[in-house]
Amino acid sequence: MKRKYPLISFLRLGFAAATILPLALTSCKEASDLWETVIPETDKEPTSSEIKGYVFYPALQQATDANIAQLKVPAGFKISKFAEKLGKPRILVTGTDGQIYASDREAGIVLMLQDTNNDGAAEVIKTVANIKQVHGLSIHNNKMYMVAVNEVYVADMNADGTLGQPRMLISDLPDGGQHPNRTIGFGPDGKMYLTVGSTCNSCPEPNPENATILRAEEDGSNRKIFAKGLRNTIGFGWHPETKELWGMDHGIDWLGDDEQKEEVNMIKQGADYGWPYIYGEGKYNPGDRPKGDTSYSQYLQKTTLPTLTYQAHSAPMGMAFYNGAMFPAEYINDAFVAMRGSWNRSTPVGYKIVRMHFESGKPVRFEDFVTGFVVNDNRAHFGRLVGVTVHTDGSLLFSDDTNGVIYRVSRQ
């Protein structure tokens, strides 16, 4: 008996909520009954694809001393709490005098943290801005730029690291939908870059500014689409030597445990990265067909494919190029990425900090840098990671917005 739609087995918090029916169906199905994936170039022929999907959220544990003690970092490094009980810290940036700033989207605040006695932990924690749904942060020309869902704000930075009254620069960014978490940065050209995620998992967007990176002047004027076809690029940055723009894009959900892989893209002006029609290494998305008379192969020809890919559903978030003096020299100009962790997979992936190796200015491979946040035989976690920044002392800081912790990785 053939099905007319994909069978989806739902798992949540480790409980197999819909296993009896799939097992019964599987036992009566012959191998020849499995659907053949057929994605024709045009809609003159039927599209068919069988996809098995899962929902699995590991249970949440606390960031206890015992849990933190079993975290793994490379030899010669150590990890500790820089700050805790922070609410839900998201994006991190570092000020020139060592102040650390963290956004808390849910609380609508920006925090400033200071390690005044240089012991590796913040003693001063204060709220320096109140902006509804604030998320992305960037420091440029001694000003703090902050982006919420629809708005971009700027505030002067005072000598003590606090902020002046925020002033709105942009008020009409697209609505958020499924991906409302905007990020912001300033390029070597001095211009403002804004990420705007898609409103959906996979669909044609009515607003051309969704699923893009936008570029504007420092004051927010002259806003234009810089690159498109980017489902949700949170972490991005410019390579310190080549000045090329790199970002990690979130793959489409509900394509299976190992699809769509997360993408590393060199982001160029005017490029189209394929979403929602083309993904990964040039694969066709069966759920969305190019409009009009355009075939998949024609859309593929104008799609810029990723330079590198990473395990599907890992959910890349913050990204920071290492430019400090604490880590060994081979870390210079490599990037660190926070992998928030999966929910749309049978077994969890992500929940870690990874190092993206660059050679001759290009990313070539990943390796684990901080692991161990998934515990209890993959059934629980104590950290979903978001922001990454390099402290002025050369240590690496990253945030977890589930237990309200900012972690610090330093040399022993």
Side-chain angles (χ1 to χ4, degrees):
M1 178 177 63
K2 292 187 178 181
R3 297 189 302 275
K4 295 182 180 180
Y5 49 86
L7 172 65
I8 298 176
S9 303
F10 286 97
L11 301 166
R12 184 176 179 87
L13 298 178
F15 175 70
T19 57
I20 297 175
L21 178 59
L23 286 173
L25 286 172
T26 300
S27 65
C28 70
K29 282 168 60 72
E30 298 293 335
S32 60
D33 276 338
L34 291 174
W35 272 16
E36 179 185 3
T37 295
V38 178
I39 308 176
E41 288 294 337
T42 70
D43 59 6
K44 295 179 181 179
E45 298 293 334
T47 296
S48 63
S49 182
E50 183 175 51
I51 301 166
K52 190 172 184 179
Y54 298 89
V55 172
F56 182 83
Y57 287 94
L60 176 62
Q61 292 188 2
Q62 298 301 304
T64 62
D65 290 343
N67 273 335
I68 293 171
Q70 55 84 53
L71 289 173
K72 296 179 176 61
V73 293
F77 291 88
K78 62 181 179 180
I79 186 167
S80 59
K81 288 181 180 178
F82 180 76
E84 60 183 332
K85 299 178 182 178
L86 297 179
K88 295 184 181 297
R90 298 278 294 183
I91 300 301
L92 304 179
V93 293
T94 301
T96 56
D97 293 329
Q99 301 97 336
I100 301 300
Y101 299 88
S103 64
D104 185 328
R105 179 194 59 192
E106 185 170 300
I109 61 174
V110 177
L111 297 173
M112 182 184 73
L113 304 93
Q114 292 175 290
D115 176 12
T116 55
N117 62 3
N118 299 316
D119 66 348
E123 294 81 34
V124 175
I125 302 173
K126 62 175 64 175
T127 298
V128 293
N130 290 270
I131 297 172
K132 184 179 179 180
Q133 293 184 301
V134 64
H135 191 257
L137 305 175
S138 182
I139 298 173
H140 178 66
N141 286 344
N142 201 39
K143 293 181 174 61
M144 177 69 77
Y145 290 78
M146 300 160 282
V147 58
V149 179
N150 303 115
E151 305 88 15
V152 177
Y153 297 85
V154 64
D156 295 326
M157 301 186 73
N158 301 318
D160 63 355
T162 58
L163 305 181
Q165 183 65 32
R167 309 182 301 278
M168 187 183 296
L169 299 178
I170 296 174
S171 62
D172 61 345
L173 292 177
D175 288 338
Q178 184 172 326
H179 299 120
N181 298 314
R182 317 305 189 206
T183 50
I184 184 171
F186 283 83
D189 56 5
K191 296 184 185 295
M192 177 193 301
Y193 291 75
L194 295 161
T195 70
V196 179
S198 65
T199 60
C200 59
N201 175 47
S202 173
C203 67
E205 290 283 3
N207 188 330
E209 286 193 327
N210 279 109
T212 68
I213 288 183
L214 307 176
R215 185 172 71 177
E217 301 300 327
E218 185 176 344
D219 62 0
S221 64
N222 195 31
R223 184 172 94 228
K224 295 181 179 179
I225 295 172
F226 183 76
K228 66 179 184 177
L230 296 164
R231 180 175 177 270
N232 191 33
T233 295
I234 297 289
F236 69 98
W238 289 264
H239 188 275
E241 291 183 333
T242 68
K243 309 305 179 185
E244 293 172 332
L245 176 56
W246 295 92
M248 287 207 68
D249 198 39
H250 287 215
I252 299 169
D253 296 323
W254 301 116
L255 290 176
D257 264 11
D258 297 311
E259 294 289 2
Q260 174 196 348
K261 294 183 177 69
E262 317 294 19
E263 295 186 353
V264 182
N265 293 303
M266 185 169 73
I267 300 171
K268 297 181 178 181
Q269 185 174 5
D272 185 337
Y273 293 86
W275 183 90
Y277 310 116
I278 304 295
Y279 70 89
E281 303 83 353
K283 298 178 181 180
Y284 298 174
N285 177 12
D288 288 284
R289 180 182 297 283
K291 292 183 177 180
D293 296 330
T294 303
S295 67
Y296 279 108
S297 60
Q298 289 171 331
Y299 208 94
L300 176 59
Q301 289 175 6
K302 65 179 184 178
T303 296
T304 300
L305 299 181
T307 302
L308 198 64
T309 60
Y310 191 80
Q311 170 64 57
H313 309 300
S314 296
M317 299 296 285
M319 184 176 85
F321 283 97
Y322 188 78
N323 58 359
M326 180 185 289
F327 291 8
E330 59 264 28
Y331 283 82
I332 298 294
N333 298 333
D334 283 352
F336 290 102
V337 182
M339 296 295 180
R340 181 163 176 77
S342 62
W343 62 268
N344 183 214
R345 199 173 190 279
S346 58
T347 56
V349 292
Y351 301 89
K352 63 176 69 173
I353 300 293
V354 299
R355 175 188 176 189
M356 193 192 319
H357 285 263
F358 279 73
E359 294 179 4
S360 301
K362 307 298 182 187
V364 294
R365 67 185 184 278
F366 289 93
E367 69 178 26
D368 289 347
F369 189 69
V370 182
T371 61
F373 285 99
V374 178
V375 294
N376 191 21
D377 194 27
N378 284 338
R379 296 179 63 81
H381 77 94
F382 64 96
R384 299 193 77 196
L385 315 179
V386 187
V388 184
T389 191
V390 179
H391 196 282
T392 51
D393 67 6
S395 62
L396 185 76
L397 304 180
F398 62 92
S399 63
D400 159 40
D401 71 344
T402 58
N403 277 312
V405 178
I406 295 176
Y407 291 91
R408 177 177 187 263
V409 182
S410 59
R411 293 288 284 168
Q412 288 182 330

